[in-house]
Amino acid sequence: MSFNSTSSKSFVRLENILIIGNGGRENSLAWAIQKNELVKKIYLIPGNAGSERINKCERIVIDPNNKNKLLEKLEFLNIDLVVIGPEIPLANGLADFLRTKDFKVFGPGKDGAKLEYSKSWAKEFMHDANIPTANFWKVTSLEEAKNIIYSSLTPLIVKVDGLASGKGVFIPDTRDECFKAAKSIYNGKFGDSGNVIVLEEKIQGPEVSIFALCDGERYILLPSAQDHKRLNEKDKGPNTGGMGAYSPAPLLTKDYLERIIQEIIEPTINELKKKNIDYKGVIYFGLMITESGPKVIEYNCRFGDPECQTIMPLMDKDFVLLLEKCSMGNLSGEEKIDNYEKVSGCVIATSKGYPNEYKTGLPIKIGETDSIDCQIFDSGTSIGKNGELLTNGGRVLSIVCQEKDFDKVFEKAYKNLKEIYFVGMYFRNDIGYQVRKNFYREN
Ligand code: AMP
C-alpha cells in the first residue's frame, strides 16, 4: 500500500479504536490496525479468546445492543474510530446512532446495510442500475412460489429475503426439492426473515469476492479473493460460512477487473448516491464469472469471513488510515493498494459436525507455529477456568500464511496446521487447489 498519509498523520487522532464483533474477521482487522503507530489501544466488543493475543488489544464485556451503555463506554474510553464487523448491528442502525453522537464510524447506516439484509431489495437495486445478476422473482406467498417453481424449466435457487446467518440459500437439484425449501421457509424456519423469498435462476461459473472501501463518494478496491464455501473437498457437501480462501484471485486479469469496475462496481456506487445513501464502509461483491460476463450473486455490507483474515495480512500499517478516511468521507480514490509482493491463503479448522451440531469447550493445543508471515486468528474460542484455550464455535481457528506463491502458502499453512490439535478438528486439505500448481488430486 502506498499513499501519502503524512499530511493526515499530524491531524488524525487514532489512539483508541473500537471494533465490534467476535470472529476471525474482527481479530484480523485488529491485527492489521495495530500495525499503525498512531494506534495505542484497540478494544473489541466482545472479541474472543484470541483477541487478547493481539498486540494492543483488550476485550470489553458489554451488550452492544444497549446503546446508552455503549455510548457511555465509548465516551469514557475516548474512542477515535469505531469499526463495525458483523451485519446485524449494521442492519439495526448502530452506525447511524453512533454518527448522531459524533463518533467516526466505519460501517454503513441502516439504509446501506439493506444491500445485505434484504435480498429482494438488493435485486431491485441491481435492476434499477442495470447491474448484471441472475434473473429473479420476489415472492410473498407459498402459492406464488409454487406457480413459479413448477412453471420454470430448471430448478430455481431459493433465498430467504432477510438475514439468515448464511443459512438462507437453498440450491435444489429438482423442482420438488425447490418447493420443499420454499415450504420450509413459509413454515417459519427463519421467522420474519422468511416472509419474503427470492427465487433465482441458477447461473454457473467460478466465484470471486471483491471488496470496495467507500467513503460515500469515492471508493478503492482491496485485493480480490476466492473462498471455499462447501464443507468437503472437491467443493462438495453443505454450504458453510467458509472453509478457506486465497488472495488475490489470479482468475481476475487486469482487463477483466476493469470490466467488473465498469459494469458492476461503479454502477453500484452511483446507484447508492442516486438513492441518497451515504455509504461509509465496505461493500462486498460476491460475483460469479459466467460465460456471458460477471454477475452479482450477492452484496454484503461487511467484510467476508474468511476472506478478511486472508486479505488483512496483505495490508500495510496505513490500513487504519483508509478506514478513517472512509468514515470521514475523505478518500481521494487514488490510494494505491495493489503493490503486493506476497500472496495469502487461509485454511479454517472447524469442529466436527459443523455446520450442524457440534461440541464446544474442547481444549485446543497449539505447538510451534511459524512467527513470520503466519497468523492464527481465533474464529470461535474461549478461555477455560484454568486459562486454557477452548473451542467455542463451529469455525474455531483461521490459519493464514503469506508467501511468494500459492504452493508455498498452502505448504506452510498445512505444515502449521500439524501443530494444532483439538478433538474432532476438521479442515479441508484442498483449499486453493485452483491456484496450487503442485496440487494433485485423483478424481
Ligand atoms: P449467497 O448467500 O447469496 O452468496 O449464496 C451462497 C452461495 O450459493 C453462493 O456463494 C453461490 O455458490 C450459490 N448461489 C447463490 N445464488 C446463486 C445463483 N443464482 N446461481 C448459482 N449459485 C448461486
Side-chain angles (χ1 to χ4, degrees), residues 18 36 77 94 105 108 114-115 121 123-124 148-149 174 180 193 205 223 269 329 360 363 375 404 427 442:
L18 174 83
N36 194 290
L77 295 171
L94 183 59
V105 184
K114 203 164 184 181
L115 279 180
W121 187 84
K123 290 299 261 187
E124 281 159 4
I148 296 166
I149 289 167
T174 64
K180 213 170 129 197
S193 282
I269 307 285
T360 58
Q375 306 81 31
K404 285 239 179 312
F427 57 87
E442 277 181 49

Side-chain angles (χ1 to χ4, degrees), residues 119 134 159 169 171 200-203 207 229 297-298:
K119 288 198 189 278
K159 296 186 177 181
V169 176
I171 308 176
E200 250 182 58
E201 161 210 24
K202 191 175 193 169
I203 54 176
E207 289 178 51
K229 286 208 170 63
I297 290 279
E298 65 161 348

